[in-house]
Each structure stands twice: as structure tokens, then as C-alpha cells.
Amino acid sequence: MNALKVLPCLALFGLAALAHADRLPNIVLLIGDDHGYPYFGFMGDDNVITPTMDALAAGGVTFSLGHSTAPYCRPSLRTLATGLHPIEYQIRLNDHIAALKEQTDWQAMSAAEQRRWTTVNKANGMRTFDTLPKLLGTKGYVSWQGGKWWENSYRNGHFDEGMTAGWDMSRFDTDTFFLELMGAEGNELVRETMDPLYDFIDRHQDAPMFIWFGPMLPHTPLDAPYRFRKFYADQNLSESAKLYYSNITWWDQGVSDLMDRIEAKGLLEDTLFIYVSDNGYEQDGDVEYATGSETPSDELATGGFTGKGALYDLSVRTPIIFYWKGRLAASFNDSSLVSSLDIVPTVLDIAGIEVPANLRGQSLKPLLEGERDTLSERSELIGYSDNRRARGMTMGVRAEGYYVRTHRWHFFWYADTDEMRLYDVTVDPRGTKDLSAARPDLVSRFKDRIMAWKEDIGMPEAIDIYE
């Protein structure tokens, strides 16, 4: 499959006319789960089969240098729900939890009761935030959630309807509760059914809709049915790559089915699709992570050590696509440093809703319109993780890590261990050669930028954002 050819940045011919349209656009947020940025046809991968995503990229505005705000899911998804950086979200949440604790007899609780109380109230704390569904509701949007959702119930995110109705707390403190945490019934989206989403679309097709489409794909379990595995069965690929790529094609088919349903309702030209992955992932076609044992290796569960849970560019980079048939002129932007922080401001701007002043992201509407001169583009992205990959630890270990990404350089630094790496992404995109010892000037500069960013974001010390 050939990579998408870079198209010239053409002017948008539909957003300017939005005020004359009969209705506000439906917004469909397509959230990949553990989908590494290289593993799309339109990003140049010759093995993975992604015809629907390739079509979205070919017909939409594609930002190939997009980045998520965390190298794993829950903090990243909180950004998509609220527009806040995970650190900002966690600081506000911690204050909320501290205030709630003062209203309880905390010391009288057992350790198990304290864990249960904390788990539930941290998730329920999203009710106190102005989420994207809540803000869109002021313009008459009806909203629906399906797929990954760590916040107990869709109601906590101010969705009108959804698949994750709440956790089964009888499973608390058992191995099966992790599936509840990730989204409970919501995780059945695409893997088991699309009916709840189709029913929502059928009942609300006359109103503007916001759809959170976050199926647990290509995330483990790597159990795609044969109709997807058959594409890779006889290819010269590792077994773990065959499994992971099959899940990617499963995801792609889910997006295809959703688009077909929307088109069948005559709503395709009234719908803006936005794609982003929650975090990066590493699984190249010639690398084997499968062990043949019944218990998967850490790498089979989470990919390679420069992907999910790490601080390499591969850990956080994701293409971000805006596809609106008949409204957006196709372009492939391989130069703008954009962030998942920008998605909420962009959606609000398109919907004609004032963007809250406290959001760090910026509306990408000028870039969608081909008016780059009206937007102050970033020269860098700075991020944080409280997690580090570790051998024998599928979920990693606590850490205090930072990264700086410029157009040329990627630098990461674990302040707790002083481990660092600097590499030139223009010639070494996977970071195989560490240049930190050879360029102390850049290391000093990037550490200074990190310290200034910490002060700006209100983070005096390391903070736990992983739940």
C-alpha cells in the first residue's frame, strides 16, 4: 500500500459558509487505542491494511506530527474530554478529593474501604469539569459515549447517553475489575456490537450529535477474528505483528461501518470526523514479542519499549485527521506541531462556542482553512509522564519523566534517575543514537524549558497522573 502523497495546502471551502448551513455539524471523535503512528497505509507502512483510515487521510486535513498528552490512556483521554493537560486535570481533581475527604470519617475506614472510596470518587470527580459534551450541549448537541471510558459512567462526562453505564463494584479488588475501569460495557463497541451507536444515530439524526467512538482497538487482547487475520496469515511478518496488525484492520472496519451508517442516513456531509490515538505503540513487522506461552510477555501486552509507556517520540506521536466531506479541502501537513490539547478548542470554535480561557490548546481552524499566517504555530511541545517501562512489569513503574519535542529534536529526561536521551528526529526518528553527551548545550536548554514549563503549569513537584 503506497503512502499518501503530500498534497499542497489548499484553502478550505466550507467552514466559512458554516453560518449559512442548515445545521451545526455532527462531531465524531475517532479515538485509536494503542495505535502507533507508523502503522497506517497513509503514513507509509507497507504491511498494515487500513483502507478506511487511508481514505479519511486522503480526503481530509491530516497532521502527521500530532502528539497526545500522555504515553498511556487515561490521562490522554481526560485531555480529549476536557481540553486540559493531565497535570492540570489532576491538580484540580486532587483538590476536589481532598475537600471530599474532609466530609468523611476517613480514619474509620479500612484500607479496602479507602481504596474503593478513592477509586470511585476520582472517577466521579469528572462531574465537576466542563467537559466537551457539556459545552456542546449549550448549542443543542446530543452526545453519546462508547468504548474506553475510565470515569465510571458516561454521565460523569456529561454525555446524554452511552455504553459505559457504571462499574460492577462486586469485582472491586479482583483481577477482573481492570476491565471495568477501562470502560465496562463500553469496551464491547466494535468488538461485540455497534447496535447501541446505531440506535443513537437513528433516534437523533435531526439534531447535531457528538459521538465518542473509542473502541478498545487495536489494544489487547490481540484476538481479531479470522476475517481480519487472513490478510496477514501468509505474510512475512512476526506472529506478534500479525496479531497487532489484525486488530488494527478490525479497528479500521469499525470506522468503515460507522461511516457507512452515517452516509446511509444522508448525514455524511453534515459530519466532521476527527481521528487521534490515545498514545503511541511499537510493533514493527519483523520484531517478535509473542512467546507461545499462555501468559503473554510484557511486550506482547504493551508493545516495544520505545512505544507505549515510554517517552520517545513513538510513545506520544499520533496523526490527527479532520475529515468533513465537501467542507474541507484535502491537505497533508507534515510540519505543524499539533497536540490533542487542540482538539477541544477546535471543536468548540467550529461549533461557535467560546473557548474557555484556561485551555492550553489552540483552535486549529486557521490551519483547516489554509490560513497558516493567522495562527502562531508552536516551535516545541513539552510533556510529562509519571510512568516508566520496566522489564517484568507490564504496567511499568512510577517515575518523573519529561520530554521536549521540536521540529528537529526529541529530548526526554527522567528527573528521578537522571536518565536522558537526545536525538535528531529528522534523521533518526526512532531515537537509536543518543546525542545527549555530544550536545550538552541542547540538554541544558531543554532542561531549562522543562523547568519553566513546570512553573507555568503549576507543578512544583512530581505528580501522579496514572490511575
Side-chain angles (χ1 to χ4, degrees), residues 212-375:
W212 177 282
F213 184 83
M216 194 172 63
L217 286 167
H219 191 285
T220 54
L222 303 179
D223 60 351
Y226 176 72
R227 63 192 180 107
F228 304 113
R229 288 186 286 110
K230 67 185 179 186
F231 297 122
Y232 305 98
D234 298 317
Q235 300 299 316
N236 185 25
L237 300 167
S238 69
E239 290 305 310
S240 58
K242 291 177 182 179
L243 293 171
Y244 178 63
Y245 296 171
S246 296
N247 267 28
I248 288 176
T249 304
W250 197 1
W251 148 269
D252 192 86
Q253 184 62 50
V255 177
S256 177
D257 292 342
L258 172 57
M259 293 185 69
D260 288 351
R261 186 72 169 205
I262 288 174
E263 193 277 337
K265 295 293 179 182
L267 298 174
L268 192 60
E269 294 184 358
D270 293 316
T271 302
L272 170 62
F273 296 89
I274 305 170
Y275 170 80
V276 64
S277 182
D278 61 350
N279 51 254
Y281 203 84
E282 180 185 11
Q283 175 59 80
D284 293 333
D286 59 349
V287 178
E288 184 62 81
Y289 297 131
T291 64
S293 65
E294 293 184 3
T295 303
S297 66
D298 296 332
E299 290 82 3
L300 184 58
T302 52
F305 270 57
T306 66
K308 180 178 181 176
L311 282 179
Y312 288 79
D313 192 47
L314 186 58
S315 307
V316 288
R317 183 173 165 187
T318 170
I320 297 177
I321 304 171
F322 291 80
Y323 176 89
W324 191 357
K325 182 176 176 58
R327 304 287 180 132
L328 296 180
S331 63
F332 192 92
N333 183 319
D334 59 1
S335 61
S336 296
L337 291 173
V338 300
S339 168
S340 59
L341 286 167
D342 301 327
I343 289 178
V344 168
T346 303
V347 169
L348 295 177
D349 194 8
I350 291 172
I353 300 170
E354 183 177 358
V355 179
N358 66 323
L359 297 187
R360 291 180 172 271
Q362 56 186 337
S363 172
L364 300 177
K365 186 178 175 182
L367 292 181
L368 300 180
E369 294 174 339
E371 298 176 359
R372 300 183 69 154
D373 294 340
T374 66
L375 182 72

